[in-house]
Amino acid sequence: MQIEIIPFDIDYSKDFYTLNIEWLKTHFYVEPYDEEVLSKPEKYIIDKNGFIFFIMLDKQVVGTVALVPIQEEGTFELTKMAVSPEYRGHKLGQKLMQYCLEFAKKQQFKRFLLYSSRKLENAIHIYKKYGFVEVPVEANCPYKRCDIKMEHSL
């Protein structure tokens, strides 16, 4: 079983979409904003100097995550993290998180932000484990499902 994390590759755009749509449908619902971003990752993430990573297991995409720059220089939103249902519980999300934190330090990012839902207790636990702390959610949060915002200074 060989695990590898690779950067965005246009050939895996469909996997980025499929993994995230499945995750959203399982836990919430797909908002129009999600559909737009997930169906055009180059336009909304890559072309805006963002990053998408895929976790590969034996050359098959089993998870993904995106880092999207926001207006504040050196700050990125950690978003669109999803792992294939059959591979959840194998700490692949944590491997993606560790990779993103190491990548951010090498790139000299200042901090990560993320938006989530308290409904996702396991995810919140992992975020806290990796040093994220809760901060107030702004009134114009981009996600209707969001009721918690967290940040991690790097």
Side-chain angles (χ1 to χ4, degrees):
M1 200 164 83
Q2 173 129 4
I3 294 175
E4 179 183 16
I5 297 177
I6 64 166
F8 180 75
D9 183 321
I10 191 76
D11 292 341
Y12 300 125
S13 292
K14 185 176 180 185
D15 295 290
F16 180 73
Y17 179 89
T18 304
L19 286 166
N20 276 285
I21 292 293
E22 183 281 326
W23 186 90
L24 285 166
K25 286 181 176 178
T26 297
H27 297 285
F28 300 100
Y29 50 91
V30 179
E31 296 179 24
Y33 177 75
D34 297 313
E35 179 67 37
E36 182 69 12
V37 171
L38 294 171
S39 64
K40 300 172 186 159
E42 285 180 289
K43 176 180 178 181
Y44 288 98
I45 300 171
I46 301 301
D47 292 348
K48 294 188 177 195
N49 296 318
F51 304 89
I52 296 174
F53 300 106
F54 297 102
I55 190 162
M56 311 289 287
L57 182 62
D58 297 328
K59 300 188 182 195
Q60 175 189 351
V61 175
V62 295
T64 188
V65 64
L67 305 176
V68 180
I70 62 169
Q71 288 181 341
E72 186 181 323
E73 189 176 332
T75 299
F76 284 73
E77 179 185 355
L78 189 140
T79 187
K80 309 300 182 223
M81 184 183 287
V83 173
S84 180
E86 56 267 30
Y87 294 101
R88 291 183 189 145
H90 294 112
K91 300 187 188 275
L92 297 179
Q94 290 187 53
K95 287 187 186 311
L96 282 168
M97 178 68 74
Q98 288 170 334
Y99 184 88
C100 287
L101 289 168
E102 290 168 13
F103 178 82
K105 287 176 185 169
K106 287 178 191 169
Q107 298 294 315
Q108 299 181 327
F109 294 172
K110 292 179 184 172
R111 70 183 177 134
F112 278 144
L113 296 176
L114 64 81
Y115 297 92
S116 193
S117 169
R118 294 178 194 284
K119 172 182 171 180
L120 303 172
E121 293 175 6
N122 289 343
I124 302 298
H125 174 77
I126 290 169
Y127 301 146
K128 288 179 179 178
K129 175 180 175 178
Y130 284 94
F132 283 81
V133 295
E134 187 174 348
V135 296
V137 179
E138 64 270 23
N140 62 343
C141 177
Y143 308 101
K144 291 178 183 167
R145 63 185 170 268
C146 172
D147 63 6
I148 186 171
K149 178 180 177 181
M150 302 181 85
E151 73 174 23
H152 186 297
S153 295
L154 300 162

